[in-house]
Structures are given as C-alpha cells and as structure tokens.
Amino acid sequence: MPRVTPRQRKNTAMADNRLPSAAPGALTVAAARTGFLALLVLLWWVASVNVARNIIPSPLATLEAAGRLLHAGDLQQAVLDSISVYLSGYGVAILVAIPLGVVMGAFNLLGKTLEIYVYALSATPRVAFIPLIIVLLGLGAEAKVFIVFLGAVMPILINTYAGVRQADPELVEMARSVGAGRLRIFTRIVLPGAVPYVIVGLRLGATIGLINTVVAELYTAVRGLGGLLAVYGNTFRMAEYFVVVLSLATIGVIVTEGLRYAEQRLGRWRT
Amino acid sequence: MKFDRVGETGPGTRMKNAGHNRPRLVLDSVEKRFARPDGEIVTALSDVSMSVEAHTFVALIGPSGCGKTTVLRIANGLIQPDNGAVTIAGSAPKPGPETGFVFQEFRLIPWATVQANVEFALEVLPLSRAERAERARSYLDLVGLSRSAQSYPGQLSGGMKQRVALARALASEPEILLMDEPFANLDAQTRELMQSELLHIWMRHKPTVLFVTHSVDEALLLADRIVLMGTGRVLETFDVDIERPRNLEATRSDARFIAMRDDLWARIRDLVLSDPQSEFYGRNLGG
Ligand SMILES: Nc1ncnc2c1ncn2[C@@H]1O[C@H](COP(=O)(O)OP(=O)(O)OP(=O)(O)O)[C@@H](O)[C@H]1O
Ligand SMILES: [Mg+2]
C-alpha cells in the first residue's frame, strides 16, 4: 500500500513550488492537454481503421453511440446508479477510516495492536471477499456499497494513521515548551500535520473505490456502468462499450481533480 | 519582577533595579542521564551548578555534545534532573510562559500565520482573545515584523523566521529567555544583523537570558558572563567587562574583546584537543 514519507512530501512540495520549469501558466497547461487529447483521438482513429473485425470503434461511432445512450437515458441511469454506490461506499469509508486512524495514532498501544491486522487485511486482495460478501449481503446495493467501502477504507486508514504517528517531534517539543497540554498539542500540532497524509489516503481511496464500484457491479446484480460494461462487452457492441469506459475515466478525473483542489485550498500556507 | 513591558523603556534606566543580582535561574549540582535506544546509559550532565541573575545575559559555550541543550531543557522544565535542584524565580521550572525558548531550527508552525504562531505561546495565559492578539502584535512590532503578521512562515527568510520565534519567546514576558544556538542556521550577514537586533532589544527590555552558542565572538559580543562547559560540567566562568550599549563594530575591535577572545579560544582548543571523545583529540593545531 503506497504511503508518503515526509521526505517524499517535501520533494513534491519542492517540485510544485520551487523548480522554475514546473510552473507553466494554467492556459499553457490547458492548451498542451487539449493538444495531447487531439493526438490521442487521432491515434484512436488510426487504430480503429487498422484493427480488424471492428473491435475498436471509431471516435465518430463512439460519439454516435453516446448520443443514442443519452437519448435512451441508459447512460444517465447507469451513471446515477454507479455514483450512488460509489459515493456511499467511499463516504462510509471516510467516516470510518479517519476517526479510526486518528484514534489508532493517538493511543500508542491501540495503534500497535491493530496495525498488523490492518496491514494484513490491506495486503489481501479484496476481490477474495466478494463471494463471502454476496453470501452475507446478497446481490443488492448493500453488497456493492460494502465492496467499495472495503477497497477505499484501507488506504485512508493507513495514511491517516501514518500521518498522526509521524508528527514533527521538534514542533511537539516547542508546543510542550510553551506549556501546551496533550490535547492542545494533538489538536493544534499533530492533527493539522497529518492532513497532507489524509489527503493522499483520500485520493488513493477514491481511485480504488471507483475500481471496486465496477468490480462490484460486474460480480453482483449487473447494474450501473459496470453492468453496461458487461452487457456491451458480451454482445460486442464496442462503440457503446467505449462510451462506458470513457464515462468511468471522466468520473475518475473529476473526483481526483476535486481532491487536488481541496488539497490546494488546505495547503495554501505551503506557497 | 519581570522585564519591562514594551513602551516603558529607556536605555540603562532599569539596569540596576530591585531584583538585580538575585538569581533568576539556579542549577545546583544537577545530574542528568539518558538511556539510549540501545540501552546504553549516557551521562549528559554529571555535576552542573550555575546561576543566572535577573537582567543578566549569560552565554553558555562548550564543545558539541557537552550538554548545553540539556541545561536549557532542564531550565524550561521539559525534562527533570536525576539529581540536584533547579529553580526559576524560586520554584521548580515547568514548561510554560515563565520561560521563553528559542530553538536553532525556529520551530514555527508552518500552517499558522506569523501572528498565530506568536499567539500560540500566549494561550495558557489568562488573556482575552483581544489582549492576546494585541500582545502578539506589540512583540512582532518589537522585532520589526508587524507587516508580516498575516504571512505564513514558509514565505519568510531565515532571519525573519527567527525574529518570529524571538517574538514568540518574548511575548509571554518570561522570567528567563532560553536561546539554543538561535543564529546558527542563519547566513553570516543575517546573523550579525540579528546579533545587533538582540543587543538593541536587550537594551530596551533587559531580559534575563541564557544563550547557548558555539561562537566565542557571539558570546563576547552579547553576554555579561560566559559559562564554559566541558563534558557534562561547568569548567569556568568569565565576566565580560565591556560596557553597554555595545555594537558590532566598536565592541569587536575593543582591546578587551580581543584579549578575552584569544584567552577563551586557547581554553576551548585545549579542551577539545585533550578530550579523547573529540575528533581533534591529540592533534597538533599549533598553539
Ligand atoms: N534524549 C536523549 N537521549 C539520549 N541521549 C541524549 C538525549 N539528549 C541528549 N543526549 C546526549 O547527551 C549529551 C549532551 O547532549 P546535548 O544535546 O545537551 O549537547 P549540546 O551541548 O547541546 O551539543 P550541541 O552543541 O551539538 O548542540 C550528548 O552526548 C547527547 O548524545
Ligand atoms: Mg545543542
């Protein structure tokens, strides 16, 4: 499970702020990204023309398929289904993982006791639990939400815990030297210091949660974007299939960019 | 009696007020041992006795690892001695507003503004929110940083960061200011400017200061008395009989300054060369 160490964090801060080559204007970035998108679409088109048996639909065919799906309302319904599963599972994961990570970090014995079980669970491929979850919770929304939860909760928990544990001992000593008590040190020094770690965990959790949303929809009652993926994949409707894949990618981008924005807002002091 | 508040100053007038010469910090036969992670016990202080009188500036010098930081941490109450007695203004030290600690690495809270960093040291005092803000502002003003109050530490230069740390330590109006190599992380030029700044502030407020440094010049420039430490103990004490106000140029070319510097340097060199733990042990460095 990836974690940031303080050194890595410092390095990214440097890369973000100090290196002159790493600071092009927002407009330049947008232009470069658009250019790259055009290149990707071109490559896609070339591939669609050259790969046999219509396995890759052309960009135009995909666009038409998107129009059809939107017109019929299938896509909106699927996106809505998937997002509600995704956000429920991810939300519950946040509500559980952050407080648990904080408590584990605050109480040394509790943290030391639980951490090996947390690491063990996070090292186990979560798909291994899906048959068990289906037996226990059935094929409905609860099972899906639980599968998403299970994927998202670990990175958030582990990073929150790590963030609380690695509080800067020099700052803590400074706080002690001015007479701050344990509670004030925890709320004013330790917790704010853990925020960058928590955000890394949230970002990882968001990605894994989205993956697990699709996995859950494929394994359980076939609904949502994962459901459409299965249907179109099995019937070789590749244009529709591509629309679904692109929708998932878009959701992923929106969520990670949102978290990056939150990170920037919280980290304004870094500049 | 604490040192004067901002405003009610006047160079020299408070120099010999009541409380002068009464020790504000006393260490009596202090002993301190630490357990290393590998279980080995190190004696950081074997027998340290010293005192700092009110409104006196004492510099503590000595080779690396001789226990200077440990003395400051004991004086603040961050750690307790294993043996011997420590008092600040007559009672056992406890971390808080009675002492002001300035660290070599500044130790500012990076996500808090300069103003909030100074206020952080005032939160245990019985002050209203407005009084606290006002107090922080007046000490930021004293160190010349009123215009940076809303900046974050990351936006400041090293010298400015250390000014914030100094304002934070002064703002609680402590019995004694404990400074641990506060200018060691600054470039040479900024260091000299900060020394001048500290001389200036000292003349205005006459704080009681215990100042750790590796620089003989810095100790001579700033201090009324210099305590020379060897491994875990006090070796000698020197009075610096150079009148105030002092300043960088005049004081450093003063004949007494030069004579004392040579004297102290010779002592420290002998100390280091005769210490089996030192990397310079047994070297012939001319002298
Ligand atoms: N918390 C600690 N645990 C173990 N050993 C310690 C601890 N604090 C200090 N020591 C040891 O005590 C001795 C004195 O340390 P101290 O930091 O007081 O030295 P110093 O004079 O401030 O050195 P420097 O000039 O390098 O800052 C050193 O040998 C150090 O390794
Ligand atoms: Mg030290």
Side-chain angles (χ1 to χ4, degrees):
Chain A
M1 189 69 42
R3 266 186 285 165
V4 261
T5 63
R7 182 174 308 267
Q8 278 173 325
R9 192 167 49 136
K10 272 190 190 124
N11 285 346
T12 30
M14 297 265 285
D16 285 342
N17 306 328
R18 313 271 148 78
L19 298 180
S21 65
L27 218 62
T28 319
V29 172
R33 282 180 176 173
T34 313
F36 192 68
L37 181 65
L39 185 69
L40 283 179
V41 173
L42 183 71
L43 285 175
W44 176 13
W45 178 76
V46 169
S48 72
V49 173
N50 289 297
V51 173
R53 291 190 291 132
N54 286 340
I55 289 176
I56 299 181
S58 73
L60 197 62
T62 308
L63 200 63
E64 283 166 6
R68 281 197 302 278
L69 285 179
L70 282 173
H71 189 72
D74 292 354
L75 190 60
Q76 293 92 315
Q77 186 55 49
V79 166
L80 220 61
D81 280 352
S82 291
I83 285 188
S84 72
V85 166
Y86 176 42
L87 290 186
S88 312
Y90 185 48
V92 176
I94 293 173
L95 290 180
V96 170
I98 293 183
L100 185 56
V102 166
V103 171
M104 278 174 64
F107 300 100
N108 214 337
L109 179 62
L110 185 71
K112 285 279 171 226
T113 309
L114 295 184
E115 66 176 30
I116 54 165
Y117 300 103
V118 171
Y119 296 148
L121 187 56
S122 81
T124 314
R126 254 57 54 77
V127 253
F129 296 111
I130 290 180
L132 180 65
I133 293 167
I134 292 174
V135 171
L136 287 174
L137 297 175
L139 296 168
E142 292 89 354
K144 292 192 180 76
V145 169
F146 191 73
I147 292 168
V148 175
F149 163 80
L150 211 53
V153 75
M154 285 302 157
I156 307 175
L157 175 58
I158 288 175
N159 280 284
T160 304
Y161 176 57
V164 173
R165 287 300 302 272
Q166 62 71 53
D168 182 350
E170 294 191 339
L171 270 188
V172 170
E173 191 188 55
M174 179 284 293
R176 286 220 304 128
S177 81
V178 302
R182 290 169 59 99
L183 184 65
R184 197 151 68 88
I185 291 176
F186 195 71
T187 55
R188 304 286 296 283
I189 305 290
V190 177
L191 285 185
V195 166
Y197 287 73
V198 175
I199 287 179
V200 169
L202 288 176
R203 230 161 41 194
L204 289 168
T207 313
I208 297 176
L210 188 57
I211 294 169
N212 279 24
T213 304
V214 177
V215 171
E217 287 169 345
L218 287 173
Y219 272 88
T220 62
V222 178
R223 295 194 60 170
L225 288 168
L228 289 186
L229 223 47
V231 169
Y232 297 135
N234 293 338
T235 54
F236 285 101
R237 293 171 67 184
M238 296 322 272
E240 281 82 356
Y241 181 86
F242 261 56
V243 171
V244 179
V245 171
L246 290 177
S247 307
L248 284 167
T250 310
I251 294 175
V253 167
I254 291 172
V255 171
T256 13
E257 284 297 307
L259 283 167
R260 204 197 307 283
Y261 177 72
E263 188 176 6
Q264 267 164 13
R265 289 297 303 257
L266 284 169
R268 265 175 304 183
W269 52 269
R270 256 182 232 279
T271 52
Chain B
M1 138 141 215
K2 298 194 174 186
F3 67 81
D4 307 340
R5 289 294 309 271
V6 174
E8 49 175 39
T9 51
T13 50
R14 294 301 182 104
M15 191 85 176
K16 295 252 189 272
N17 56 12
H20 189 59
N21 290 332
R22 198 187 307 143
R24 188 142 294 174
L25 166 68
V26 180
L27 278 80
D28 184 14
S29 311
V30 165
E31 195 182 329
K32 181 69 191 175
R33 292 178 299 272
F34 290 108
R36 288 243 177 84
D38 60 13
E40 197 194 335
I41 305 286
V42 279
T43 303
L45 305 179
S46 47
D47 179 12
V48 171
S49 299
M50 60 183 286
S51 59
V52 182
E53 290 75 30
H55 309 292
T56 309
F57 196 121
V58 174
L60 193 56
I61 63 175
S64 216
C66 71
K68 303 180 294 294
T69 298
T70 305
V71 167
L72 294 193
R73 295 176 76 215
I74 285 177
N76 174 267
L78 280 169
I79 52 176
Q80 312 300 323
D82 295 319
N83 249 318
V86 196
T87 54
I88 292 242
S91 46
K94 72 178 206 313
E98 296 84 45
T99 49
F101 213 132
V102 181
F103 303 90
Q104 181 178 337
E105 323 80 0
F106 318 136
R107 303 198 191 182
L108 303 178
I109 304 170
W111 51 84
T113 61
V114 163
Q115 172 84 18
N117 263 283
V118 177
E119 287 188 32
F120 186 74
L122 304 177
E123 287 176 19
V124 278
L125 291 171
L127 297 173
S128 73
R129 198 177 273 260
E131 287 167 335
R132 198 158 66 213
E134 179 49 40
R135 177 89 77 94
R137 266 195 299 275
S138 70
Y139 280 91
L140 281 172
D141 191 39
L142 175 73
V143 299
L145 276 184
S146 358
R147 282 170 48 205
S148 302
Q150 297 313 314
S151 302
Y152 289 91
Q155 300 166 318
L156 306 180
S157 69
M160 290 161 93
K161 283 181 193 154
Q162 199 54 299
R163 281 163 198 261
V164 178
L166 184 58
R168 176 176 66 193
L170 287 167
S172 67
E173 296 173 354
E175 300 283 350
I176 185 168
L177 205 53
L178 306 168
M179 307 182 79
D180 195 358
E181 302 184 44
F183 307 147
N185 271 6
L186 305 175
D187 63 85
Q189 204 180 332
T190 308
R191 183 180 315 135
E192 295 197 343
L193 292 168
M194 286 301 290
Q195 288 166 350
S196 302
E197 186 84 52
L198 188 58
L199 279 174
H200 176 73
I201 290 172
W202 196 88
M203 284 310 293
R204 280 182 70 178
H205 288 271
K206 306 289 184 310
T208 309
V209 186
L210 183 55
F211 186 102
V212 169
T213 176
H214 276 117
S215 162
V216 171
D217 284 45
E218 187 169 69
L220 283 168
L221 177 68
L222 298 173
D224 301 306
R225 189 145 45 83
I226 298 177
V227 175
L228 174 61
M229 276 184 76
T231 320
R233 67 223 149 87
V234 173
L235 296 178
E236 263 172 89
T237 301
F238 303 83
D239 285 318
V240 183
D241 292 317
I242 303 174
E243 62 284 343
R244 296 180 189 267
R246 301 178 189 168
N247 67 64
L248 245 61
E249 300 74 32
T251 307
R252 283 195 304 198
S253 51
D254 192 297
R256 289 165 295 179
F257 182 96
I258 295 166
M260 282 200 76
R261 183 175 59 186
D262 293 347
D263 215 33
L264 265 164
W265 253 122
R267 287 289 293 128
I268 291 174
R269 194 183 49 215
D270 291 349
L271 204 68
V272 172
L273 298 188
S274 63
D275 174 8
Q277 316 233 301
S278 156
E279 58 192 296
F280 297 103
Y281 177 60
R283 305 289 298 163
N284 181 3
L285 298 180

